[in-house]
Amino acid sequence: MERARLESARPLARRPLVTLLTAAALAASGLTALTSAARAADADLARNGGFESALDGWTCTAGTTVTSPVHSGATALKATPAGADNARCAQTVSVKPDSQYTLSGYVQGTYVYLGASGTGTTDVSTWAQSAPDWQQLTTTFRTGPSTTKVTIYTHGWYGTGAYHADDISLTGPGGETGQPPVAPGGLKTGSVTSSAVALSWSPVPGATGYAVYRDGTRVSTVTGTSTTVSGLTPSTAYSFQVTAVNDAGESARSATVTATTAQRPDDGGGSSGLPAHALVGYLHASFANGSGYTRMADVPDSWDVIDLAFGEPTSVTSGDIRFERCPVAECPNVESDAEFKAAIKAKQAAGKKVLISIGGQNGQVQLTSTAARDKFVSSVSAIIDEYGLDGLDIDFEGHSLSLNADDTDFKNPKTPVIVNLISAVKTLKAKYGDDFVLTMAPETFFVQLGYQYYGTGKWGGQDPRAGAYLPVIHALRDDLTLLHVQDYNSGSIMGLDNQYHSMGGADFHIAMTDMLLTGFPVAGDANNVFPPLRPDQVAIGMPASTQAGNGHVSSAEVNKALNCLTKKTDCGSYATHGTWPDLRGLMTWSINWDRYSNWEFQKNFDAYFG
């Protein structure tokens, strides 16, 4: 949230230089024309080379299947390099030792590679510098005297756009593939919550992994014999099966087990007394900025959560937070402290929640020491106690949060400003108990941008603030009442479809919210996934008017976003990964600006959720 508009976020990424291969290097790589038909004993050993069965058989860092463009069949691969990831898709194939093979495929894009590794002789690759239309790539290799497996792959290049691949084949004598494993037994459920079900099963000899199915759809692949399926809807019945996988293929599915998720929790990590669909707004309580001052008693009953903007530190690193009411000189119609406190009590008696919001554009907060952490706890507690508030909104912006260069795992943060903030909030939660309302209002730069960039990155040179809210959200997810990311004053952000999405319409809100409710690999690392939040923990942050911030959309576009996310209608070009009727609601900056615009935002919310 801000008093003046922020610049769009622009991550800085160091991109490796592309070294163009010389003709001699291409020749050395084994590039040849396919001049004769394959021998009768040869076969196409690539599994799902046409990507007709989605990504079955392939391991991709950033890939999906699309229906256009395709070289043949119904679908093809689309993969988008991001940051230090070149969007590699690969599979391991059984081959015969001391045998000749031809690898071929069709590609579109810039700097698209096709190759084979682990050949036991000379690993090979070939590439297309620029392929605006489908271009065939072909290379050959001979396996070593003891080679029984090779890995074939395709990838793009760092910092370039998406590439496409289709009809990848590996022609040559087949190796000993063995038999697929038998179906797992002993599948059973463990702990069941409102949003997750734990599963376990017996190990299968010869299996290298296991695929987990929910209601007939594969939802994950794991190497162990247990997992937790998350992102589920409360009070809903689900069925689960697992299969065992090895190089020869996938087993039949196990027997089915069922589980019904629990009701939505009614505590500090859940609804905290909020209605099923809530309207959240920021009230300019300490300043005026052209929208005019709005007295607490004059806030309409439609607003379920009122965030007092803002509590700010005495200095950036002090941790000493002060909340100063707007002075009469700036806000001539400001009420007295007694009237203000009485109005808060009246709101709470009507079931509303009133929080102190810490930070904002001007309130940079860096808890660099344990002393600052402890001062934060005591000073925020003093504000909450003085005004009888229901909880805390964390609105750290600017340079409040950033990651040290060695802090690469959002699940185990090391950076003091991150660790101390988590500790401070947990202390406040423990002090005030389950009824303590905790909300957060980060910018997209600090959350969804983490899909592409996290901190300074593997190569260095990125903005250390990229994705810096993720460890805070993750550590506090069990205590978190609401996350309402500011979907405004934002640069373009890549969604889970690996396309960039920009402000100005429903599409941006749909893509950004889908990421929170689906989860995503951080910095493209499939082994480091930010788990989805419950839909009742998520609200969409929007500016109330064109004056309030960049990215304002009309009421019609607001409704399209809500329809898509809660009903799977009006979705446009972005395909969501689920339908979430329990999405909590909307947040706006701000109540004051909405009043300035004749309550357009509030009236539309009331009409939609009725």
Side-chain angles (χ1 to χ4, degrees):
M1 250 49 68
E2 63 192 50
R3 304 180 191 182
R5 300 179 182 178
L6 295 177
E7 293 185 5
S8 297
R10 296 186 295 270
L12 301 175
R14 180 182 299 168
R15 297 177 176 174
L17 297 176
V18 177
T19 303
L20 301 181
L21 299 177
T22 64
L26 286 174
S29 73
L31 175 61
T32 62
L34 185 59
T35 57
S36 61
R39 297 187 302 274
D42 291 348
D44 182 4
L45 308 179
R47 177 179 170 183
N48 188 30
F51 300 96
E52 299 303 310
S53 299
L55 299 180
D56 181 45
W58 296 90
T59 300
C60 301
T61 60
T64 187
T65 52
V66 294
T67 57
S68 179
V70 298
H71 177 257
S72 71
T75 55
L77 170 70
K78 179 181 179 181
T80 306
D85 176 30
N86 60 13
R88 186 177 191 263
C89 282
Q91 68 170 266
T92 300
V93 181
S94 295
V95 294
K96 283 189 175 181
D98 198 24
S99 300
Q100 189 71 19
Y101 292 87
T102 299
L103 176 63
S104 180
Y106 289 83
V107 300
Q108 274 193 29
T110 303
Y111 300 121
V112 191
Y113 288 74
L114 180 69
S117 61
T119 63
T121 55
T122 301
D123 291 349
V124 297
S125 68
T126 180
W127 62 291
Q129 180 176 350
S130 177
D133 202 352
W134 289 109
Q135 177 177 326
Q136 187 178 26
L137 298 177
T138 304
T139 186
T140 62
F141 62 88
R142 191 169 189 85
T143 54
S146 59
T147 301
T148 59
K149 295 182 185 300
V150 299
T151 298
I152 60 174
Y153 62 85
T154 183
H155 66 73
W157 196 252
Y158 308 97
T160 59
Y163 73 88
H164 297 81
D166 202 1
D167 296 332
I168 296 175
S169 65
L170 179 67
T171 306
E176 297 295 330
T177 59
Q179 296 294 323
V182 299
L187 178 63
K188 60 183 179 181
T189 60
S191 63
V192 179
T193 69
S194 62
S195 60
V197 173
L199 301 171
S200 63
W201 55 91
S202 302
V204 175
T208 57
Y210 301 89
V212 181
Y213 290 82
R214 182 191 70 206
D215 295 336
T217 300
R218 182 189 286 200
V219 292
S220 65
T221 302
V222 298
T223 56
T225 57
S226 65
T227 190
T228 297
V229 181
S230 58
L232 306 180
T233 301
S235 303
T236 303
Y238 293 93
S239 64
F240 301 94
Q241 296 168 294
V242 294
T243 61
V245 180
N246 65 13
D247 291 341
E250 186 175 359
S251 75
R253 297 186 187 182
S254 70
T256 300
V257 299
T258 60
T260 299
T261 50
Q263 292 182 351
R264 181 187 298 116
D266 189 19
D267 58 25
S271 64
S272 289
L274 295 179
H277 301 292
L279 181 61
V280 182
Y282 286 77
L283 184 68
H284 307 178
S286 60
F287 61 93
N289 66 349
S291 60
Y293 183 81
T294 300
R295 296 162 62 100
M296 174 65 71
D298 294 334
V299 176
D301 288 340
S302 296
W303 300 91
D304 301 295
V305 180
I306 303 167
D307 292 319
L308 304 180
F310 289 106
E312 299 181 359
T314 55
S315 68
V316 173
T317 59
S318 69
D320 188 5
I321 306 300
R322 303 295 175 89
F323 174 59
E324 304 292 342
R325 308 237 4 264
C326 191
V328 175
E330 187 176 352
C331 303
N333 60 323
V334 63
E335 67 269 61
S336 68
D337 278 355
E339 292 171 325
F340 186 70
K341 292 175 182 178
I344 290 174
K345 291 183 184 298
K347 292 296 179 187
Q348 293 167 330
K352 313 306 178 183
K353 306 297 180 182
V354 184
L355 316 181
I356 180 64
S357 179
I358 306 299
Q361 180 191 357
N362 295 341
Q364 305 293 296
V365 182
Q366 296 175 2
L367 304 182
T368 56
S369 65
T370 56
R373 175 200 65 191
D374 295 343
K375 189 63 179 178
F376 182 88
V377 171
S378 63
S379 59
V380 171
S381 296
I383 297 169
I384 291 173
D385 293 344
E386 179 179 355
Y387 293 94
L389 304 179
D390 296 288
L392 169 67
D393 173 69
I394 302 172
D395 185 15
F396 286 16
E397 298 182 11
H399 291 270
S400 292
L401 296 181
S402 63
L403 295 158
N404 290 349
D406 64 343
D407 200 342
T408 59
D409 181 4
F410 76 91
K411 297 176 182 176
N412 297 286
K414 303 177 182 178
T415 308
V417 295
I418 304 289
V419 174
N420 289 333
L421 175 60
I422 294 168
S423 176
V425 175
K426 282 187 174 292
T427 301
L428 287 166
K429 173 70 176 182
K431 176 178 179 178
Y432 289 102
D434 288 343
D435 291 335
F436 186 76
V437 179
L438 174 63
T439 66
M440 299 183 193
E443 297 159 287
T444 56
F445 190 100
F446 296 94
V447 184
Q448 288 94 338
L449 184 68
Y451 176 53
Q452 282 186 279
Y453 307 98
Y454 188 69
T456 57
K458 295 179 182 178
W459 304 96
Q462 294 173 189
D463 193 316
R465 300 173 297 163
Y469 247 96
L470 293 178
V472 179
I473 298 168
H474 184 68
L476 297 169
R477 64 173 55 235
D478 291 339
D479 303 311
L480 182 63
T481 309
L482 277 179
L483 176 72
H484 30 66
V485 175
Q486 301 176 37
D487 286 0
Y488 46 92
N489 295 324
S490 170
S492 296
I493 303 291
M494 180 179 286
L496 294 182
D497 57 352
N498 292 323
Q499 301 297 309
Y500 284 97
H501 298 268
S502 301
M503 300 181 300
D507 173 82
F508 188 67
H509 299 294
I510 293 167
M512 295 302 99
T513 307
D514 180 65
M515 296 179 76
L516 302 176
L517 298 172
T518 303
F520 53 87
V522 176
D525 184 352
N527 296 315
N528 197 29
V529 175
F530 178 78
L533 293 165
R534 300 191 316 269
D536 64 277
Q537 289 180 296
V538 176
I540 310 173
M542 302 176 173
S545 66
T546 55
Q547 299 94 334
N550 292 319
H552 174 260
V553 296
S554 67
S555 295
E557 293 298 302
V558 172
N559 294 347
K560 284 182 182 179
L562 291 171
N563 285 340
C564 179
L565 292 163
T566 65
K567 304 173 184 177
K568 205 94 171 181
T569 61
D570 285 342
C571 286
S573 61
Y574 183 89
T576 61
H577 293 75
T579 306
W580 302 278
D582 289 332
L583 179 74
R584 181 63 74 183
L586 301 179
M587 173 275 280
T588 193
W589 176 260
S590 61
I591 293 172
N592 303 61
W593 280 117
D594 196 35
R595 181 184 185 182
Y596 186 86
S597 299
N598 196 31
W599 303 112
E600 177 186 355
F601 194 88
Q602 172 210 301
K603 289 176 181 177
N604 184 66
F605 178 90
D606 289 343
Y608 187 90
F609 288 109

